[in-house]
Amino acid sequence: MRVTPHVHCLWLEFEIALPGGRRIPRFVTSYVIEGERLAVVDTSVAPAAPRILACIESLGRKAGDLAHVINTHCHFDHIGGNGVLAERAEPRFHAHPLDRPWIEDLGLQEKGRPVPGMRGICSGPVKVEGALEEGGEVDLGGGVRVQALHTPGHSPGSLSLFVPGDGALICGDVLPEPGTLPIYEDVHATLASLEKLRAVAGAEALLSAMSRKVWRGKEAGEHIDAGEGYVRRIDRLVRRAREEKGPGLTPEEAGRSAFAALGLPPEAMIGIVARTFAAHLAVEPLG
Ligand SMILES: [Zn+2]
């Protein structure tokens, strides 16, 4: 779906298989950005990646026109199609240097952030040649440029990407979506990154990988506010749980208590979500 003059958005479904056979349906978002050359932002998971190539063909372009792949961050569901695209084209892969090790070494990611079934849906790995940092830019020709903002919190090297000609602001997973699993590693970095997103001049369409909606105009700012509100609500729930259960409260216990208040299923309290609650317990209350 074309969401701004040069940006196409794909919402791609997949599942996380939990031990015991239960499956959590998830989706991830990929983008195709059209200039004289093409860029793909985030490659989803390997089984869904052919749909990115189908999107490119539906635009009357060839896989060979794909010059750049930008990973907003290293998580498997944003890089899992990297290998599939590398087999069909010769794109230059870009990411922030802080997230590069987990993109280039899937074993390292699996060890540091185990997610059930991750390896089965990850193609690659690939080599990241482009170190994209704050202020970095990828030029697609035809006046279409992609500018990088370093917006850590969800991961240390999370990037947001701004296409100035279109007013399109792609923020990857950095903006927590109220009512969904909260996944971030650093509470204060997340809040600072949200502040940075608010300050982007000319942003008219906010594209969050956590959301199935394109947030336009003043709705974009309101959605960032809602994400911040969710982080603050979770922090209050964590504090309340600690008051009730004492200082020995574990991240999992804090998470289960917060999940009950938020209406989230207790079995979704998996390791990557426990890290969020560990991050809250590691800092002073937000107030
Ligand atoms: Zn992520």
Side-chain angles (χ1 to χ4, degrees):
M1 178 174 109
R2 186 188 297 272
V3 291
T4 64
H6 301 93
V7 179
H8 303 262
C9 181
L10 292 98
W11 285 281
L12 302 166
E13 321 277 344
F14 74 104
E15 291 181 326
I16 295 178
L18 296 179
R22 194 182 144 94
R23 304 175 85 82
I24 302 181
R26 303 268 299 167
F27 70 92
V28 73
T29 315
S30 292
Y31 308 91
V32 176
I33 306 178
E34 263 189 296
E36 287 171 0
R37 298 169 293 280
L38 300 179
V40 165
V41 175
D42 289 342
T43 62
S44 176
V45 290
R51 288 179 50 199
I52 301 171
L53 294 163
C55 171
I56 289 172
E57 282 166 18
S58 77
L59 301 174
R61 307 290 293 260
K62 298 186 296 292
D65 295 337
L66 176 60
H68 303 280
V69 170
I70 306 171
N71 293 133
T72 59
H73 63 292
C74 60
H75 293 158
F76 76 98
D77 52 333
H78 293 253
I79 67 163
N82 282 2
V84 173
L85 297 189
E87 280 170 20
R88 292 286 307 276
E90 291 181 355
R92 182 176 170 89
F93 286 86
H94 305 260
H96 191 280
L98 289 173
D99 273 24
R100 181 176 173 171
W102 279 15
I103 297 172
E104 294 189 334
D105 186 344
L106 298 175
L108 205 60
Q109 172 161 183
E110 195 173 30
K111 204 166 144 198
R113 186 178 185 271
V115 178
M118 167 197 144
R119 283 307 277 272
I121 51 176
C122 253
S123 62
V126 300
K127 182 111 187 88
V128 177
E129 291 172 357
L132 206 48
E133 301 186 59
E134 175 71 23
E137 201 169 283
V138 176
D139 187 351
L140 302 183
V144 180
R145 294 173 294 122
V146 183
Q147 298 173 341
L149 296 90
H150 184 209
T151 48
H154 178 73
S155 73
S158 279
L159 291 173
S160 294
L161 302 165
F162 186 50
V163 185
D166 284 35
L169 179 59
I170 296 170
C171 65
D173 276 352
V174 82
L175 174 57
E177 179 81 5
T180 68
L181 297 182
I183 302 177
Y184 41 87
E185 298 186 353
D186 185 321
V187 177
H188 287 293
T190 295
L191 294 178
S193 290
L194 300 189
E195 203 53 55
K196 194 182 232 182
L197 292 179
R198 271 193 201 96
V200 175
E204 285 161 18
L206 176 69
L207 300 161
S208 167
M210 296 277 186
S211 173
R212 281 179 178 270
K213 180 175 158 131
V214 180
W215 302 87
R216 298 188 189 269
K218 75 176 177 50
E219 274 193 340
E222 288 166 1
H223 193 56
I224 295 171
D225 292 345
E228 176 176 343
Y230 194 46
V231 174
R232 292 185 180 280
R233 183 178 176 201
I234 289 168
D235 196 69
R236 287 193 297 274
L237 292 169
V238 168
R239 306 303 155 192
R240 196 170 74 191
R242 185 139 72 179
E243 277 168 25
E244 284 170 8
K245 295 186 179 159
L249 182 79
T250 66
E252 288 79 6
E253 288 167 341
R256 276 193 289 274
S257 172
F259 269 30
L262 296 168
L264 293 170
E267 66 272 20
M269 192 58 234
I270 54 178
I272 57 171
V273 185
R275 292 165 76 110
T276 304
F277 291 92
H280 278 279
L281 288 169
V283 296
E284 293 298 313
L286 294 178

